[in-house]
């Protein structure tokens, strides 16, 4: 799938994108989390929680937004049980979701700090929501970081619960589980 808006193009991520995606994730988290999380929380989350989920890449459900052949944003959706986290964080034996009863997962949205507030996350979200709906899902769920929470509220998500995840080094990360229906 390819679309272009104002010089941006959207496409499925490929294995060859992994180094660029890891750099995007680190740059995005380090810059956009300031004021929401401490430096220790950011460092710990990058070490233990954030990263690419290669299952999403391999399934074609993780997308990148490019401008002039540089990846400036990424995000995806999933029909598996894992709610968030990269390869080093997820459950290898995660269950496949039942679209009739389970919400699809919105996963791993990251935007380069130099390209925020240009509709890139919305472009990614619209693509993910359409694909999840076409796969029979009736709702979406995600685990938002504190800097991501305003975006997801603007996209129609509602808070289900606030949680504090304790990472392996004892650092606690506040997160927000959110959900929204997919319109008829």
């Amino acid at each position: 799938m390819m679309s272009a808006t104002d010089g941006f193009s959207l496409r499925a991520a490929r294995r060859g994108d992994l180094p660029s995606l890891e750099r995007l994730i680190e740059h995005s988290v380090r810059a956009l989390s300031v004021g929401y999380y401490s430096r220790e929380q950011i460092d710990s989350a990058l070490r233990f929680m954030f990263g690419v989920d290669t299952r999403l890449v391999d399934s074609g459900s993780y997308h990148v937004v490019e401008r002039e052949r540089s990846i400036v944003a990424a995000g995806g959706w999933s029909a598996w049980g894992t709610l968030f986290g990269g390869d080093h964080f997820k459950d290898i034996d995660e269950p496949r979701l039942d679209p009739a009863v389970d919400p699809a997962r919105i996963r791993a949205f990251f935007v380069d700090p130099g390209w925020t507030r240009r509709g890139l996350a919305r472009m990614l979200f619209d693509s993910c929501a359409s694909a999840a709906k076409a796969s029979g899902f009736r709702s979406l769920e995600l685990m938002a970081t504190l800097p991501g929470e305003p975006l997801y509220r603007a996209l129609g998500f509602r808070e289900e619960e606030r949680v504090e995840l304790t990472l392996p080094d004892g650092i606690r990360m506040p997160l927000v589980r959110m959900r929204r229906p997919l319109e008829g």
Side-chain angles (χ1 to χ4, degrees), residues 3 22 29-31 55 62 71 118 124 140 150 163 169:
S3 68
E22 292 292 350
V29 170
R30 288 202 183 281
R55 181 179 274 182
Y62 199 65
I71 296 173
R118 297 174 196 237
L124 287 162
L140 302 170
V163 299
D169 58 2

Side-chain angles (χ1 to χ4, degrees), residues 144-160:
T145 60
L146 299 182
E149 183 181 5
L151 164 70
Y152 296 120
R153 285 193 186 282
L155 292 172
F157 284 85
R158 300 287 177 250
E159 177 182 323
E160 292 285 309

Side-chain angles (χ1 to χ4, degrees), residues 104-146:
R105 309 303 199 223
I106 294 296
R107 301 278 314 278
F109 275 49
F110 299 97
V111 178
D112 183 292
W115 294 101
T116 60
R117 313 231 17 107
R118 297 174 196 237
L120 304 182
R122 184 172 294 274
M123 180 191 307
L124 287 162
F125 173 75
D126 289 346
S127 175
C128 292
S130 292
K133 185 175 178 180
S135 294
F137 287 93
R138 297 182 295 193
S139 64
L140 302 170
E141 186 174 41
L142 58 83
M143 186 66 81
T145 60
L146 299 182

Side-chain angles (χ1 to χ4, degrees), residues 55-103:
R55 181 179 274 182
L56 298 181
V57 173
D58 292 343
S59 73
S61 65
Y62 199 65
H63 293 90
V64 298
V65 176
E66 289 181 310
R67 175 135 185 166
E68 298 173 4
R69 294 186 292 178
S70 291
I71 296 173
V72 295
W77 77 280
S78 173
W80 292 286
T82 297
L83 193 54
F84 64 98
D87 280 349
H88 54 282
F89 189 78
K90 71 180 182 196
D91 179 0
I92 292 174
D93 294 322
E94 64 187 331
R96 185 120 174 119
L97 301 171
D98 179 353
V101 295
D102 298 317

Side-chain angles (χ1 to χ4, degrees), residues 13-88:
R14 301 181 288 260
R15 280 282 179 146
D17 296 325
L18 294 180
S20 294
L21 289 169
E22 292 292 350
R23 284 190 299 275
L24 169 69
I25 290 168
E26 180 163 359
H27 188 51
S28 178
V29 170
R30 288 202 183 281
L32 301 178
S33 296
V34 171
Y36 294 93
Y37 296 121
S38 70
R39 180 184 169 116
E40 293 78 19
Q41 287 171 312
I42 293 167
D43 289 344
S44 182
L46 283 166
R47 189 168 41 257
F48 297 112
M49 189 171 72
F50 294 126
V52 178
D53 181 339
T54 53
R55 181 179 274 182
L56 298 181
V57 173
D58 292 343
S59 73
S61 65
Y62 199 65
H63 293 90
V64 298
V65 176
E66 289 181 310
R67 175 135 185 166
E68 298 173 4
R69 294 186 292 178
S70 291
I71 296 173
V72 295
W77 77 280
S78 173
W80 292 286
T82 297
L83 193 54
F84 64 98
D87 280 349
H88 54 282

